[in-house]
Amino acid sequence: MKKMTIPELLKMKQHGQRITVLTAYDFPFARLVDGGGVDVILVGDSAGVVFAGHETTLPVTMDEMLYHVRAVTRAEPKALVVADMPFMSYQTSVEEACRNCGRMIKDGGAAAVKVEGGSNISHVISAVSSIDIPVMAHIGLTPQSVHRMGGYKVQGRNDQAERIMADALAVEHAGAFAVVLEGIPAVLAADISSRLTIPTIGIGAGPSCDGQVLVIHDILGLCEKYSPKFVKRYADLAPLISSAVAHYVADVRSGVFPAEEHSFS
Ligand code: KIV
């Protein structure tokens, strides 16, 4: 398989080929996810929740994201690696946004960055894109806006739909190469996907987006706490892992492990 590029992703939209995106936060998962054939690996700030155990993505720092991005790019995936920009790394000024996005490319080895926000952040998308750092936008339910939204609630219902459509048009106009549509009604996502020339990547946004993204821990059943309605579980690894660990503990306690074949003469 050839290395995925941004022009290739745009062609996929033009040819009606669906784009596959999954998150990864470390080297072994980057290899596994890439081996499974995804087009894009998103090093999401969801790492703060599923990897680091925070309640929200808000505490995640630039240094933490850089650590995850480096671990993923070290796996040299064929998939395009997109680095998610953490809260407060791009909102305060265009200069800071450019510098921090640049670090993800220069120090992290990512090919692109992702920022949350629509019309309110289009000046940042435009500045970052203008220095040749490709930007994936993220609109609708934006987890970094959890306090404004009053929780993780579906956005864009009824009279909010126009605002989400305006956000989609604004990020495309600002130069984003793709846009994540999260937690919006399927009909609105379909409408946006048909109006934009850049690919839409849905998560909880129905089947008409140009691609889909999910969090790897969710599809593998590694997060036992909570599973959103839009997740499809493709494996149930948590009980398998717990049972393997319990087996190991029992073997050590009973003296079954290590056996002769695990020992040196
Ligand atoms: O942080 C993340 O993983 C994301 C995706 C779920 C879109 O933003």
Side-chain angles (χ1 to χ4, degrees), residues 22 46 49 72 85 99 136-137 164:
L22 275 174
S46 49
V49 178
V72 166
M85 298 306 295
R99 204 165 294 118
M136 177 180 275
I164 305 289

Side-chain angles (χ1 to χ4, degrees), residues 4-257:
M4 181 52 69
T5 63
I6 286 162
E8 198 56 44
L9 290 176
L10 298 176
K11 267 195 226 152
M12 287 177 78
K13 163 144 185 155
Q14 286 152 13
H15 296 155
Q17 289 171 279
R18 293 229 164 90
I19 298 166
T20 55
V21 186
L22 275 174
T23 66
Y25 317 104
D26 59 28
F27 181 86
F29 270 99
R31 291 186 66 139
L32 292 169
V33 164
D34 197 50
V38 293
D39 301 306
V40 177
I41 295 178
L42 171 65
V43 188
D45 66 351
S46 49
V49 178
V50 299
F51 183 91
H54 294 297
E55 283 295 317
T56 71
T57 56
L58 300 180
V60 178
T61 66
M62 266 302 292
D63 286 344
E64 287 166 352
M65 284 308 297
L66 267 171
Y67 175 82
H68 289 296
V69 172
R70 285 198 193 107
V72 166
T73 57
R74 220 169 277 136
E76 299 185 0
K78 294 272 181 277
L80 188 95
V81 176
V82 177
D84 213 359
M85 298 306 295
F87 181 57
M88 293 310 280
S89 67
Y90 59 94
Q91 290 93 339
T92 52
S93 75
V94 157
E95 287 73 20
E96 197 174 18
C98 289
R99 204 165 294 118
N100 282 329
C101 290
R103 286 183 73 197
M104 292 298 191
I105 309 295
K106 194 171 168 143
D107 306 339
V113 296
K114 177 170 85 57
V115 298
E116 294 184 11
S119 314
N120 63 323
I121 220 75
S122 56
H123 61 294
V124 168
I125 296 175
S126 157
V128 173
S129 309
S130 77
I131 54 169
D132 282 345
I133 297 176
V135 181
M136 177 180 275
H138 182 163
I139 64 171
L141 192 172
T142 45
Q144 292 175 15
S145 319
V146 59
H147 296 308
R148 172 179 58 76
M149 296 181 303
Y152 299 106
K153 297 178 180 163
V154 172
Q155 304 290 300
R157 283 199 172 121
N158 310 319
D159 54 342
Q160 278 185 6
E162 246 173 64
R163 181 175 63 79
I164 305 289
M165 177 59 83
D167 281 342
L169 295 169
V171 298
E172 171 165 281
H173 185 71
F177 75 90
V179 56
V180 171
L181 306 179
E182 178 164 356
I184 63 172
V187 281
L188 175 59
D191 197 12
I192 293 173
S193 303
S194 69
R195 284 189 62 184
L196 296 192
T197 56
I198 59 171
T200 59
I201 310 294
I203 171 161
S208 303
C209 297
D210 303 304
Q212 296 290 329
V213 56
L214 284 174
V215 168
I216 187 74
H217 287 58
D218 289 338
I219 73 161
L220 297 182
L222 285 169
C223 270
E224 295 159 298
K225 232 163 103 177
Y226 164 71
S227 184
K229 172 182 161 79
F230 55 77
V231 168
K232 180 168 176 186
R233 234 183 225 192
Y234 289 86
D236 199 9
L237 295 191
L240 276 183
I241 294 172
S242 293
S243 135
V245 170
H247 204 155
Y248 163 76
V249 168
D251 277 3
V252 171
R253 287 190 178 145
S254 66
V256 167
F257 177 83

